[in-house]
């Protein structure tokens, strides 16, 4: 849910050529961005509850990367709320670039993190399951991880461009469509390049020992080896998973065609399908690994040996079944009530109440 408004923030300084146009862009996401960002908090809490070992290892080992995301996100609430309060071009331009940082940096870092998962993260456990991380922030910025960051950044910016095309008109919409064409093409090319690189040069992880899904979690109780082409084993074993990368590329192409023909709402859902397909492609390749270890492959965390208790998972299941439909309902209602085109005339007529 926080994808399209981060894409809008990334495009803000480029799609809006003057103050009024930039206020139009901001007002397309202004009423919703804070509700969308709650999903970040939910994601962190869900990882803590469902996979406590993953939470402890990732949030401590990748501490500086997480802080970089947090620092970038600081620009968003202040930028949205205070950007238009002062009639000073330098003030507003500064916060426009702040909103750009808040929109562009988190997807890039999350993509870099995914790229490092495929290569393995340098951590290990002692006999008391206390993790030790031996990497550094700069080591995360390796070539494949940066390519994965390009995939993430491009697909989020593409999603934001399609959303802008749906919520605006005139010159802003035209620029958004041009941005969608560029970032859609970049998404497909970088996604294909990352898959080819993964196939040719990065060995995957394979569990050789027997797995008892009902046993107590113990990340040190298995044997793991690295093997060329192993990241594609699930696709060979389950051909239906090929629908995921097809959805990723097909969703981008469909969104571009639909947007060019004026069917921007359908294009938005197609771009959402593309994001689900791309993320799903990475998830299907990694399964059952959640956080592989390059330092001690046997300590790699999987969906079975890093999971929380059955009681915790049952509580999470029932909470999701009860509250998720309510969240979907009121979020859909909010988007419907505050939908429609945002125009320069609207911003001028509501200069004191609009963002």
């Amino acid at each position: 849910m926080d994808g399209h408004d981060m894409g809008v923030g990334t495009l803000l300084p480029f799609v809006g050529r003057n103050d009024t146009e930039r206020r139009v862009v901001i007002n397309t996401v202004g009423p919703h961005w804070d509700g969308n960002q709650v999903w970040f908090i939910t994601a962190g809490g869900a990882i803590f509850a469902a996979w406590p070992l993953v939470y402890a290892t990732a949030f401590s080992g990748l501490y500086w990367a997480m802080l970089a995301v947090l620092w970038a996100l600081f620009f968003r609430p202040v930028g949205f709320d205070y950007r238009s309060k002062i009639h000073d071009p330098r003030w507003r331009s500064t916060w426009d670039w702040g909103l750009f940082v808040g929109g562009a940096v988190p997807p890039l870092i999350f993509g870099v993190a995914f790229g490092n998962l495929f290569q393995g993260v340098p951590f290990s456990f002692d006999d008391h399951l206390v993790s030790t991380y031996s990497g550094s922030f700069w080591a995360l910025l390796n070539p494949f991880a940066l390519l994965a960051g390009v995939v993430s950044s491009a697909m989020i910016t593409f999603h934001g461009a399609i959303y802008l095309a749906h919520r605006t008109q005139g010159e802003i919409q035209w620029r958004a469509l041009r941005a969608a064409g560029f970032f859609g093409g970049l998404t497909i090319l970088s996604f294909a390049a990352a898959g080819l690189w993964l196939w040719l040069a990065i060995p995957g992880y394979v569990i050789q020992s027997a797995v008892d899904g009902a046993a107590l979690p113990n990340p040190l109780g298995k044997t793991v080896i690295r093997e060329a082409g192993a990241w594609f084993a699930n696709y060979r074993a389950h051909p239906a998973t090929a629908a995921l990368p097809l959805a990723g590329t097909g969703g981008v192409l469909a969104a571009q065609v639909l947007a060019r023909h004026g069917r921007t709402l359908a294009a938005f859902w197609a771009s959402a399908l593309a994001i689900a397909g791309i993320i799903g492609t990475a998830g299907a390749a990694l399964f059952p690994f959640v956080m592989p270890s390059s330092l001690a492959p046997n300590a790699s965390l999987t969906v079975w040996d890093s999971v929380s208790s059955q009681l915790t998972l049952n509580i999470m299941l029932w909470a999701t079944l009860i509250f998720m439909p309510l969240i979907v309902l009121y979020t859909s209602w909010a988007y419907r009530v505050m939908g429609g085109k945002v125009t320069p005339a609207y911003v001028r007529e509501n200069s004191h109440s609009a963002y």
Side-chain angles (χ1 to χ4, degrees):
M1 285 302 297
D2 208 31
H4 66 273
D5 56 44
M6 284 194 167
V8 169
T10 304
L11 292 170
L12 172 62
F14 311 103
V15 175
R17 299 295 173 82
N18 55 52
D19 181 64
T20 300
E21 290 185 349
R22 290 182 178 181
R23 291 192 71 182
V24 169
V25 172
I26 292 171
N27 275 272
T28 61
V29 295
H32 309 290
W33 73 269
D34 46 356
N36 294 343
Q37 195 161 301
V38 171
W39 289 106
F40 277 131
I41 303 170
T42 305
I47 293 174
F48 174 75
W51 290 323
L53 275 178
V54 174
Y55 179 91
T57 305
F59 279 66
S60 58
L62 307 178
Y63 183 74
W64 288 108
M66 295 294 183
L67 276 184
V69 171
L70 183 62
W71 290 333
L73 292 176
F74 286 162
F75 288 104
R76 304 189 81 208
V78 185
F80 279 113
D81 288 339
Y82 293 108
R83 184 261 182 205
S84 298
K85 300 298 184 184
I86 298 178
H87 294 279
D88 184 336
R90 291 172 300 179
W91 169 269
R92 294 187 173 187
S93 178
T94 298
W95 286 114
D96 289 339
W97 286 104
L99 289 172
F100 165 80
V101 170
V105 170
L108 177 64
I109 292 181
F110 290 141
V112 168
F114 250 101
N116 278 280
L117 288 181
F118 282 107
Q119 299 172 92
V121 180
F123 71 90
S124 60
F125 292 106
D126 62 16
D127 293 337
H128 300 286
L129 296 184
V130 176
S131 63
T132 300
Y133 180 82
S134 61
S136 67
F137 174 79
W138 300 111
L140 298 174
L141 305 179
N142 55 77
F144 178 77
L146 290 173
L147 176 59
V150 171
V151 177
S152 175
S153 182
M155 74 176 183
I156 293 300
T157 307
F158 171 72
H159 196 40
I162 294 294
Y163 181 78
L164 272 180
H166 177 61
R167 294 295 309 278
T168 61
Q169 58 189 20
E171 287 292 319
I172 301 176
Q173 186 185 55
W174 179 76
R175 295 186 199 120
L177 288 173
R178 287 190 61 187
F182 174 79
F183 285 103
L186 181 60
T187 299
I188 293 176
L189 289 176
S190 57
F191 181 48
L196 186 61
W197 192 336
L198 201 63
W199 173 266
L200 296 177
I202 300 178
Y205 288 67
V206 179
I207 300 177
Q208 280 197 319
S209 55
V211 175
D212 183 1
L216 293 175
N218 178 18
L220 301 179
K222 61 183 180 298
T223 302
V224 177
I225 64 168
R226 303 197 68 174
E227 188 176 277
W231 287 135
F232 291 83
N234 288 332
Y235 290 97
R236 292 190 294 268
H238 307 283
T241 53
L244 292 168
L246 290 177
T249 55
V252 172
L253 295 174
Q256 290 182 325
V257 172
L258 289 167
R260 293 289 179 180
H261 286 81
R263 301 181 61 186
T264 51
L265 181 58
F268 177 76
W269 287 112
S271 66
L273 175 66
I275 291 179
I278 291 172
I279 297 176
T281 298
L286 278 169
F287 185 85
F289 292 93
V290 180
M291 194 172 180
S293 170
S294 59
L295 191 62
N298 291 349
S300 298
L301 298 175
T302 71
V303 295
W304 298 297
D305 56 31
S306 61
V307 75
S308 192
S309 68
Q310 185 174 353
L311 174 61
T312 301
L313 296 179
N314 281 332
I315 293 173
M316 292 181 69
L317 172 63
W318 284 108
T320 302
L321 292 177
I322 294 171
F323 292 108
M324 182 63 75
L326 297 176
I327 295 172
V328 171
L329 284 174
Y330 78 67
T331 301
S332 302
W333 175 81
Y335 272 91
R336 181 176 180 180
V337 170
M338 292 178 277
K341 299 288 186 180
V342 180
T343 64
Y346 168 82
V347 171
R348 287 190 290 266
E349 292 171 2
N350 300 273
S351 60
H352 295 291
S353 57
Y355 287 88

